[in-house]
Amino acid sequence: EPAKAEPVKETAKTEAKEASSDNIATTSATATSNTASAADTSNVPDDNDITEEEEMLLNEHFKEHMNVIFIGHVDAGKSTLGGNILFLTEMVDKRTMEKYEREAKEAGRESWYLSWALDTNQEERNKGKTVECGRAFFETARRRYTILDAPGHKNYVPSMVTGAAQADVAVLVISARKGEFETGFERGGQTREHTVLIKTAGVRTLVVAINKMDDPTVGWDKARYDQIVTKLTPFFKQNGYKADSDVIFLPISGYTGAGVKDRVGSACSWYTGPSLLETLDGLQAVERKINGPLRIPISEKFRDMGTIVSGKIESGNIRLNQKVMIMPEKRICEISNIYGASENEEQSAISGDNVRIKLRGVEEDMVQNGHVIVDRKHPCHNTREFDALLVIREAKNIITAGYKSVMHVHTATEEIILAKLLHKVNKQNKRSRMPPPFVKKGERCIVRIQTTKPVCVETYSDFPQLGRFTLRDEGKTIAIGQILKL
């Protein structure tokens, strides 16, 4: 679903024709239509009203910011592509890149040097695998971008989920090399799971960069490109993406830079479309709730001459010396410094910005990933129990009440138990009268979920970014869901 905080208004009849990830929004909206609106959104101005303060903030942040996550199977070339983008947009100078190349050659990893611009710790460089969700910044003439470099290995999916929660658009990197595409796309490959997770996180636009087209096994072959597009398109449709409007395919070479900043040119005479950066610049602007209630899910925290937290501003805006509250602990603190995506100090930041914030009046050990920074007048909900609509995507056996799993909601990770199965939901979005004894793969149901600790969440209809989640178990995504009632 689009990552914007407004209720879904499409009818059940229309939604029934969409894929499962689009379908569940209708039930969510229906289930909450008779309940009172959450207190924290009651004072939000009308969408069409641009206040004087909002106009001033827009003038301060005149160039739109967009968060781009690079996803895909391990060794698809995500970090190499990201590193080359930093070099081509002059975020990393030639001398630094030559240093990386020299060090990589000495380590016997010559072809990995571009990825070292994003994979900064020694473990990642030694293995050639991204472990944590890397973060970097680049800028074009039109926009400012934050790169979120997700790990491709299945062992590090939780890090990928945290990155997905902060993304506005996804670049799915596919290796065209013979055998590598098939490994990534077949059952158990991360191409499939990453696509499901990014859709669940609310990322609507998917740019599919078919990488390694310069490889000797490919040689910019149009037949290989068409084969990959043909295999991927039905899968995207199954997961709720519209092939004609939500998905963009393009051939590139992340290593040589062909098709990244500049168009591929003579190397690929059959493709005359835009480059990757031109495609990103041409995407429709993301709607921002600049004057909405403040919501910053914390994705990272550390101590450096004070308590520093980082995260994406999902709604609202912040200024220096502003007093804020950290939920669910309700700790009052003050913003003493704001660091933007380029690591420069800023006076303010608005919805959509990925920021680091130094807080005064709170210790680092009092803050956890998944806590949410809010303004004191409009706190978010925190709860140990809620009703949700689940779509069971993968389950070896039947699922019954008492089932335990791990929930990923925005940047929070929490152990949960399915306390009750309340209703089954059919394709027409009608609920069963009696609670089902069990559910299995492919079915939808309304359940009551209990968490081990209080979590900061909202209903999906009030605030989609804090109202959708995934359940994972044994290294697999078991179900996706939306919160109906707190």
Side-chain angles (χ1 to χ4, degrees):
E1 285 298 320
K4 52 185 181 179
E6 56 182 35
V8 177
K9 297 178 181 177
E10 293 169 280
T11 64
K13 185 176 179 181
T14 305
E15 288 292 328
K17 297 178 183 177
E18 300 292 338
S20 60
S21 55
D22 288 328
N23 273 338
I24 55 182
T26 304
T27 309
S28 171
T30 305
T32 54
S33 61
N34 295 324
T35 60
S37 297
D40 54 297
T41 58
S42 58
N43 295 322
V44 180
D46 186 80
D47 289 348
N48 298 321
D49 294 342
I50 297 180
T51 63
E52 192 174 317
E53 181 186 14
E54 186 176 355
E55 192 170 354
M56 186 170 63
L57 284 165
L58 286 170
N59 288 335
E60 283 181 24
H61 304 268
F62 66 93
K63 191 180 273 190
E64 187 196 2
H65 181 261
M66 187 173 276
N67 299 281
V68 182
I69 186 167
F70 285 25
I71 60 172
H73 192 65
V74 65
D75 291 336
K78 298 181 292 298
S79 297
T80 296
L81 173 59
N84 211 349
I85 287 174
L86 296 181
F87 176 63
L88 293 171
T89 54
E90 300 178 0
M91 293 296 124
V92 177
D93 59 45
K94 189 174 181 181
R95 179 182 290 181
T96 304
M97 202 55 86
E98 285 173 350
K99 174 175 169 283
Y100 289 153
E101 187 172 10
R102 192 168 55 251
E103 290 173 354
K105 192 172 184 179
E106 288 170 1
R109 304 282 190 267
E110 190 174 353
S111 64
W112 294 358
Y113 78 97
L114 286 165
S115 69
W116 284 19
L118 279 166
D119 292 341
T120 51
N121 74 48
Q122 203 57 46
E123 181 191 359
E124 292 180 323
R125 291 182 174 184
N126 291 341
K127 290 182 177 180
K129 292 176 183 174
T130 304
V131 175
E132 297 177 345
C133 196
R135 200 178 97 151
F137 168 80
F138 73 95
E139 196 168 356
T140 65
R142 182 173 179 187
R143 283 187 173 129
R144 299 173 297 125
Y145 294 92
T146 294
I147 293 177
L148 300 162
D149 180 31
H153 198 280
K154 63 182 180 181
N155 290 352
Y156 308 122
V157 168
S159 294
M160 180 267 165
V161 174
T162 301
Q166 304 170 62
D168 298 312
V169 61
V171 175
L172 175 59
V173 183
I174 300 289
S175 173
R177 183 179 288 164
K178 192 173 181 180
E180 286 192 0
F181 163 68
E182 288 75 10
T183 302
F185 186 60
E186 70 185 14
R187 199 168 184 81
Q190 292 312 110
T191 301
R192 289 175 177 269
E193 185 170 22
H194 280 201
T195 303
V196 171
L197 291 170
I198 208 72
K199 180 65 176 175
T200 308
V203 176
R204 191 75 182 185
T205 304
L206 197 60
V207 178
V208 184
I210 299 179
N211 193 22
K212 304 188 183 182
M213 289 294 292
D214 61 318
D215 188 81
T217 65
V218 184
W220 295 96
D221 181 28
K222 185 175 187 299
R224 177 60 168 168
Y225 176 84
D226 290 342
Q227 178 193 14
I228 293 170
V229 171
T230 303
K231 284 191 175 181
L232 288 173
T233 302
F235 174 70
F236 293 146
K237 285 182 179 178
Q238 288 171 14
N239 285 278
Y241 284 103
K242 297 173 184 174
D244 55 342
S245 59
D246 298 340
V247 183
I248 302 166
F249 291 94
L250 63 155
I252 63 162
S253 168
Y255 187 72
T256 66
V260 178
K261 183 182 180 185
D262 299 321
R263 301 193 178 193
V264 288
S266 58
C268 181
S269 57
W270 49 267
Y271 180 79
T272 57
S275 67
L276 176 59
L277 294 190
E278 286 174 339
T279 300
L280 291 175
D281 276 348
L283 294 177
Q284 191 174 350
V286 180
E287 185 178 341
R288 306 294 190 194
K289 297 290 183 182
I290 297 172
N291 57 352
L294 180 63
R295 298 287 184 271
I296 312 176
I298 295 172
S299 60
E300 187 183 5
K301 53 111 181 190
F302 57 93
R303 185 168 186 80
D304 183 11
M305 303 292 288
T307 301
I308 296 181
V309 299
S310 63
K312 177 188 173 188
I313 305 176
E314 295 288 2
S315 172
N317 61 81
I318 55 173
R319 286 193 173 280
L320 280 180
N321 304 317
Q322 179 181 341
K323 287 196 179 295
V324 294
M325 185 162 66
I326 300 177
M327 297 291 289
E329 305 294 337
K330 297 184 178 179
R331 296 186 189 279
I332 305 295
C333 53
E334 189 174 303
I335 296 172
S336 58
N337 298 84
I338 301 170
Y339 303 96
S342 58
E343 301 298 332
N344 295 326
E345 284 199 45
E346 308 284 354
Q347 293 294 310
S348 63
I350 62 173
S351 176
D353 287 346
N354 213 306
V355 292
R356 285 184 176 162
I357 306 166
K358 184 177 279 190
L359 298 173
R360 188 186 297 124
V362 64
E363 293 299 319
E364 183 256 346
D365 57 3
M366 297 176 179
V367 182
Q368 300 296 329
N369 291 357
H371 284 185
V372 179
I373 297 175
V374 301
D375 56 271
R376 292 177 296 170
K377 291 183 179 178
H378 306 112
C380 65
H381 291 98
N382 69 91
T383 183
R384 287 174 180 263
E385 185 176 88
F386 56 85
D387 293 351
L389 178 65
L390 279 188
V391 177
I392 311 300
R393 297 197 62 93
E394 190 74 45
K396 289 181 180 177
N397 305 307
I398 60 173
I399 292 176
T400 61
Y403 176 76
K404 293 181 179 179
S405 180
V406 175
M407 177 179 72
H408 296 269
V409 54
H410 53 86
T411 59
T413 303
E414 196 60 58
E415 292 182 2
I416 62 98
I417 184 169
L418 296 188
K420 289 181 182 178
L421 303 181
L422 301 174
H423 307 280
K424 249 187 201 180
V425 181
N426 63 19
K427 290 182 178 179
Q428 288 72 41
N429 291 316
K430 291 182 179 178
R431 305 180 185 189
S432 63
R433 291 185 180 181
M434 299 294 291
F438 63 87
V439 289
K440 57 183 187 294
K441 181 180 175 180
E443 293 185 336
R444 298 188 303 155
C445 57
I446 294 173
V447 299
R448 181 156 297 160
I449 290 176
Q450 292 177 347
T451 62
T452 53
K453 296 176 185 175
V455 289
C456 299
V457 292
E458 302 284 359
T459 60
Y460 180 82
S461 59
D462 285 339
F463 214 101
Q465 296 93 327
L466 273 67
R468 49 180 161 240
F469 62 91
T470 60
L471 298 183
R472 301 192 82 248
D473 188 26
E474 296 180 352
K476 293 183 179 180
T477 299
I478 303 299
I480 59 176
Q482 292 178 352
I483 297 171
L484 305 179
K485 182 182 175 184
L486 300 172

